[in-house]
PDB file of all heavy atoms in Angstrom:
ATOM      1  N   LEU T 427      85.550  89.445  78.773  1.00 94.00           N
ATOM      2  CA  LEU T 427      84.724  90.292  78.095  1.00 94.00           C
ATOM      3  C   LEU T 427      85.167  90.800  76.795  1.00 94.00           C
ATOM      4  O   LEU T 427      84.435  91.251  75.874  1.00 94.00           O
ATOM      5  CB  LEU T 427      84.500  91.657  79.059  1.00 94.00           C
ATOM      6  CG  LEU T 427      83.795  91.409  80.318  1.00 94.00           C
ATOM      7  CD1 LEU T 427      83.878  92.667  81.223  1.00 94.00           C
ATOM      8  CD2 LEU T 427      82.352  91.033  80.062  1.00 94.00           C
ATOM      9  N   LEU T 428      86.533  90.645  76.669  1.00 93.00           N
ATOM     10  CA  LEU T 428      87.064  91.007  75.207  1.00 93.00           C
ATOM     11  C   LEU T 428      87.084  89.779  74.341  1.00 93.00           C
ATOM     12  O   LEU T 428      87.595  89.917  73.207  1.00 93.00           O
ATOM     13  CB  LEU T 428      88.539  91.469  75.445  1.00 93.00           C
ATOM     14  CG  LEU T 428      88.632  92.842  76.166  1.00 93.00           C
ATOM     15  CD1 LEU T 428      90.034  93.056  76.598  1.00 93.00           C
ATOM     16  CD2 LEU T 428      88.040  93.820  75.157  1.00 93.00           C
ATOM     17  N   GLY T 429      86.400  88.687  74.706  1.00 91.00           N
ATOM     18  CA  GLY T 429      86.238  87.606  73.897  1.00 91.00           C
ATOM     19  C   GLY T 429      87.198  86.371  73.943  1.00 91.00           C
ATOM     20  O   GLY T 429      87.111  85.475  73.084  1.00 91.00           O
ATOM     21  N   LEU T 430      88.055  86.392  74.958  1.00 93.00           N
ATOM     22  CA  LEU T 430      89.009  85.270  74.995  1.00 93.00           C
ATOM     23  C   LEU T 430      88.329  84.109  75.651  1.00 93.00           C
ATOM     24  O   LEU T 430      87.412  84.233  76.461  1.00 93.00           O
ATOM     25  CB  LEU T 430      90.312  85.772  75.823  1.00 93.00           C
ATOM     26  CG  LEU T 430      91.426  86.279  75.120  1.00 93.00           C
ATOM     27  CD1 LEU T 430      91.201  87.684  74.602  1.00 93.00           C
ATOM     28  CD2 LEU T 430      92.637  86.320  76.063  1.00 93.00           C
ATOM     29  N   SER T 431      88.904  82.898  75.331  1.00 91.00           N
ATOM     30  CA  SER T 431      88.324  81.768  75.919  1.00 91.00           C
ATOM     31  C   SER T 431      88.817  81.728  77.372  1.00 91.00           C
ATOM     32  O   SER T 431      89.755  82.560  77.889  1.00 91.00           O
ATOM     33  CB  SER T 431      88.823  80.427  75.233  1.00 91.00           C
ATOM     34  OG  SER T 431      90.246  80.273  75.371  1.00 91.00           O
ATOM     35  N   ARG T 432      88.288  80.911  78.254  1.00 93.00           N
ATOM     36  CA  ARG T 432      88.738  80.897  79.813  1.00 93.00           C
ATOM     37  C   ARG T 432      90.053  80.545  79.839  1.00 93.00           C
ATOM     38  O   ARG T 432      90.902  81.145  80.575  1.00 93.00           O
ATOM     39  CB  ARG T 432      87.835  79.871  80.470  1.00 93.00           C
ATOM     40  CG  ARG T 432      86.313  80.192  80.566  1.00 93.00           C
ATOM     41  CD  ARG T 432      85.485  79.192  81.369  1.00 93.00           C
ATOM     42  NE  ARG T 432      84.152  79.549  81.479  1.00 93.00           N
ATOM     43  CZ  ARG T 432      83.134  78.935  80.816  1.00 93.00           C
ATOM     44  NH1 ARG T 432      83.492  77.873  80.014  1.00 93.00           N
ATOM     45  NH2 ARG T 432      81.859  79.272  80.926  1.00 93.00           N
ATOM     46  N   THR T 433      90.544  79.584  79.217  1.00 93.00           N
ATOM     47  CA  THR T 433      91.900  79.100  79.134  1.00 93.00           C
ATOM     48  C   THR T 433      93.000  80.270  78.728  1.00 93.00           C
ATOM     49  O   THR T 433      93.947  80.458  79.380  1.00 93.00           O
ATOM     50  CB  THR T 433      92.239  77.783  78.443  1.00 93.00           C
ATOM     51  OG1 THR T 433      91.341  76.820  78.849  1.00 93.00           O
ATOM     52  CG2 THR T 433      93.675  77.336  78.512  1.00 93.00           C
ATOM     53  N   ALA T 434      92.640  80.791  77.606  1.00 94.00           N
ATOM     54  CA  ALA T 434      93.452  81.906  77.118  1.00 94.00           C
ATOM     55  C   ALA T 434      93.461  83.012  78.077  1.00 94.00           C
ATOM     56  O   ALA T 434      94.522  83.781  78.128  1.00 94.00           O
ATOM     57  CB  ALA T 434      92.890  82.356  75.653  1.00 94.00           C
ATOM     58  N   ALA T 435      92.235  83.452  78.617  1.00 95.00           N
ATOM     59  CA  ALA T 435      92.201  84.482  79.570  1.00 95.00           C
ATOM     60  C   ALA T 435      93.089  84.295  80.844  1.00 95.00           C
ATOM     61  O   ALA T 435      93.819  85.136  81.301  1.00 95.00           O
ATOM     62  CB  ALA T 435      90.716  84.752  79.897  1.00 95.00           C
ATOM     63  N   ALA T 436      93.028  83.012  81.307  1.00 95.00           N
ATOM     64  CA  ALA T 436      93.770  82.662  82.584  1.00 95.00           C
ATOM     65  C   ALA T 436      95.198  82.629  82.114  1.00 95.00           C
ATOM     66  O   ALA T 436      96.204  83.113  82.942  1.00 95.00           O
ATOM     67  CB  ALA T 436      93.441  81.315  82.986  1.00 95.00           C
ATOM     68  N   ARG T 437      95.658  82.087  80.966  1.00 96.00           N
ATOM     69  CA  ARG T 437      97.017  82.065  80.600  1.00 96.00           C
ATOM     70  C   ARG T 437      97.676  83.466  80.635  1.00 96.00           C
ATOM     71  O   ARG T 437      98.714  83.781  81.099  1.00 96.00           O
ATOM     72  CB  ARG T 437      97.214  81.338  79.310  1.00 96.00           C
ATOM     73  CG  ARG T 437      98.685  81.292  78.798  1.00 96.00           C
ATOM     74  CD  ARG T 437      98.706  80.651  77.346  1.00 96.00           C
ATOM     75  NE  ARG T 437     100.114  80.767  76.925  1.00 96.00           N
ATOM     76  CZ  ARG T 437     100.555  81.679  76.266  1.00 96.00           C
ATOM     77  NH1 ARG T 437      99.942  82.711  76.042  1.00 96.00           N
ATOM     78  NH2 ARG T 437     101.903  81.807  75.810  1.00 96.00           N
ATOM     79  N   PHE T 438      96.896  84.398  79.820  1.00 96.00           N
ATOM     80  CA  PHE T 438      97.423  85.783  79.698  1.00 96.00           C
ATOM     81  C   PHE T 438      97.567  86.445  81.013  1.00 96.00           C
ATOM     82  O   PHE T 438      98.500  87.091  81.356  1.00 96.00           O
ATOM     83  CB  PHE T 438      96.559  86.585  78.763  1.00 96.00           C
ATOM     84  CG  PHE T 438      97.121  87.918  78.454  1.00 96.00           C
ATOM     85  CD1 PHE T 438      98.077  87.983  77.361  1.00 96.00           C
ATOM     86  CD2 PHE T 438      96.700  89.084  78.977  1.00 96.00           C
ATOM     87  CE1 PHE T 438      98.695  89.185  77.148  1.00 96.00           C
ATOM     88  CE2 PHE T 438      97.240  90.317  78.708  1.00 96.00           C
ATOM     89  CZ  PHE T 438      98.202  90.306  77.664  1.00 96.00           C
ATOM     90  N   SER T 439      96.563  86.152  81.945  1.00 96.00           N
ATOM     91  CA  SER T 439      96.564  86.780  83.345  1.00 96.00           C
ATOM     92  C   SER T 439      97.858  86.273  84.005  1.00 96.00           C
ATOM     93  O   SER T 439      98.403  87.073  84.694  1.00 96.00           O
ATOM     94  CB  SER T 439      95.241  86.360  83.980  1.00 96.00           C
ATOM     95  OG  SER T 439      95.336  86.744  85.368  1.00 96.00           O
ATOM     96  N   PHE T 440      98.041  85.015  84.006  1.00 97.00           N
ATOM     97  CA  PHE T 440      99.198  84.487  84.728  1.00 97.00           C
ATOM     98  C   PHE T 440     100.538  84.871  84.216  1.00 97.00           C
ATOM     99  O   PHE T 440     101.465  85.226  84.895  1.00 97.00           O
ATOM    100  CB  PHE T 440      99.149  82.916  84.731  1.00 97.00           C
ATOM    101  CG  PHE T 440      97.878  82.298  85.495  1.00 97.00           C
ATOM    102  CD1 PHE T 440      97.606  81.042  85.201  1.00 97.00           C
ATOM    103  CD2 PHE T 440      97.218  83.140  86.332  1.00 97.00           C
ATOM    104  CE1 PHE T 440      96.393  80.521  85.974  1.00 97.00           C
ATOM    105  CE2 PHE T 440      96.163  82.644  87.107  1.00 97.00           C
ATOM    106  CZ  PHE T 440      95.872  81.238  86.841  1.00 97.00           C
ATOM    107  N   LEU T 441     100.680  84.923  82.905  1.00 97.00           N
ATOM    108  CA  LEU T 441     101.860  85.522  82.273  1.00 97.00           C
ATOM    109  C   LEU T 441     102.071  86.962  82.613  1.00 97.00           C
ATOM    110  O   LEU T 441     103.213  87.447  82.946  1.00 97.00           O
ATOM    111  CB  LEU T 441     101.930  85.369  80.836  1.00 97.00           C
ATOM    112  CG  LEU T 441     102.071  83.914  80.219  1.00 97.00           C
ATOM    113  CD1 LEU T 441     101.948  83.971  78.761  1.00 97.00           C
ATOM    114  CD2 LEU T 441     103.495  83.396  80.569  1.00 97.00           C
ATOM    115  N   LEU T 442     100.900  87.715  82.749  1.00 96.00           N
ATOM    116  CA  LEU T 442     101.033  89.128  83.016  1.00 96.00           C
ATOM    117  C   LEU T 442     101.343  89.366  84.487  1.00 96.00           C
ATOM    118  O   LEU T 442     101.877  90.380  84.923  1.00 96.00           O
ATOM    119  CB  LEU T 442      99.549  89.727  82.775  1.00 96.00           C
ATOM    120  CG  LEU T 442      99.357  91.274  82.923  1.00 96.00           C
ATOM    121  CD1 LEU T 442     100.355  92.044  82.069  1.00 96.00           C
ATOM    122  CD2 LEU T 442      98.082  91.651  82.559  1.00 96.00           C
ATOM    123  N   SER T 443     101.217  88.322  85.261  1.00 95.00           N
ATOM    124  CA  SER T 443     101.578  88.431  86.737  1.00 95.00           C
ATOM    125  C   SER T 443     103.088  88.446  86.994  1.00 95.00           C
ATOM    126  O   SER T 443     103.483  88.942  87.956  1.00 95.00           O
ATOM    127  CB  SER T 443     100.995  87.274  87.455  1.00 95.00           C
ATOM    128  OG  SER T 443     101.724  86.166  87.323  1.00 95.00           O
ATOM    129  N   ILE T 444     103.802  87.946  85.987  1.00 95.00           N
ATOM    130  CA  ILE T 444     105.170  87.826  86.287  1.00 95.00           C
ATOM    131  C   ILE T 444     105.886  89.226  86.331  1.00 95.00           C
ATOM    132  O   ILE T 444     106.622  89.309  87.405  1.00 95.00           O
ATOM    133  CB  ILE T 444     105.891  86.963  85.087  1.00 95.00           C
ATOM    134  CG1 ILE T 444     105.445  85.455  85.189  1.00 95.00           C
ATOM    135  CG2 ILE T 444     107.407  86.997  85.089  1.00 95.00           C
ATOM    136  CD1 ILE T 444     105.856  84.646  84.023  1.00 95.00           C
ATOM    137  N   PRO T 445     105.619  90.091  85.478  1.00 94.00           N
ATOM    138  CA  PRO T 445     106.340  91.456  85.706  1.00 94.00           C
ATOM    139  C   PRO T 445     105.887  92.154  86.928  1.00 94.00           C
ATOM    140  O   PRO T 445     106.561  92.849  87.622  1.00 94.00           O
ATOM    141  CB  PRO T 445     106.097  92.228  84.481  1.00 94.00           C
ATOM    142  CG  PRO T 445     104.998  91.542  83.720  1.00 94.00           C
ATOM    143  CD  PRO T 445     105.105  90.066  84.133  1.00 94.00           C
ATOM    144  N   VAL T 446     104.557  92.002  87.153  1.00 91.00           N
ATOM    145  CA  VAL T 446     104.000  92.688  88.326  1.00 91.00           C
ATOM    146  C   VAL T 446     104.529  92.170  89.565  1.00 91.00           C
ATOM    147  O   VAL T 446     104.830  93.004  90.517  1.00 91.00           O
ATOM    148  CB  VAL T 446     102.343  92.591  88.287  1.00 91.00           C
ATOM    149  CG1 VAL T 446     101.704  93.119  89.501  1.00 91.00           C
ATOM    150  CG2 VAL T 446     101.826  93.198  86.993  1.00 91.00           C
ATOM    151  N   ILE T 447     104.489  90.765  89.796  1.00 91.00           N
ATOM    152  CA  ILE T 447     105.002  90.206  91.079  1.00 91.00           C
ATOM    153  C   ILE T 447     106.365  90.605  91.182  1.00 91.00           C
ATOM    154  O   ILE T 447     106.950  90.734  92.284  1.00 91.00           O
ATOM    155  CB  ILE T 447     104.723  88.726  91.079  1.00 91.00           C
ATOM    156  CG1 ILE T 447     103.317  88.462  91.164  1.00 91.00           C
ATOM    157  CG2 ILE T 447     105.248  88.079  92.287  1.00 91.00           C
ATOM    158  CD1 ILE T 447     102.813  87.026  90.986  1.00 91.00           C
ATOM    159  N   SER T 448     107.169  90.431  90.027  1.00 92.00           N
ATOM    160  CA  SER T 448     108.577  90.961  90.082  1.00 92.00           C
ATOM    161  C   SER T 448     108.845  92.205  90.585  1.00 92.00           C
ATOM    162  O   SER T 448     109.783  92.439  91.497  1.00 92.00           O
ATOM    163  CB  SER T 448     109.255  90.656  88.684  1.00 92.00           C
ATOM    164  OG  SER T 448     109.079  89.284  88.272  1.00 92.00           O
TER     165      SER T 448
END
Side-chain angles (χ1 to χ4, degrees):
L427 290 173
L428 290 167
L430 270 70
S431 67
R432 296 185 182 105
T433 299
R437 178 184 176 276
F438 190 80
S439 171
F440 293 160
L441 288 176
L442 188 57
S443 74
I444 294 175
V446 173
I447 297 176
S448 298

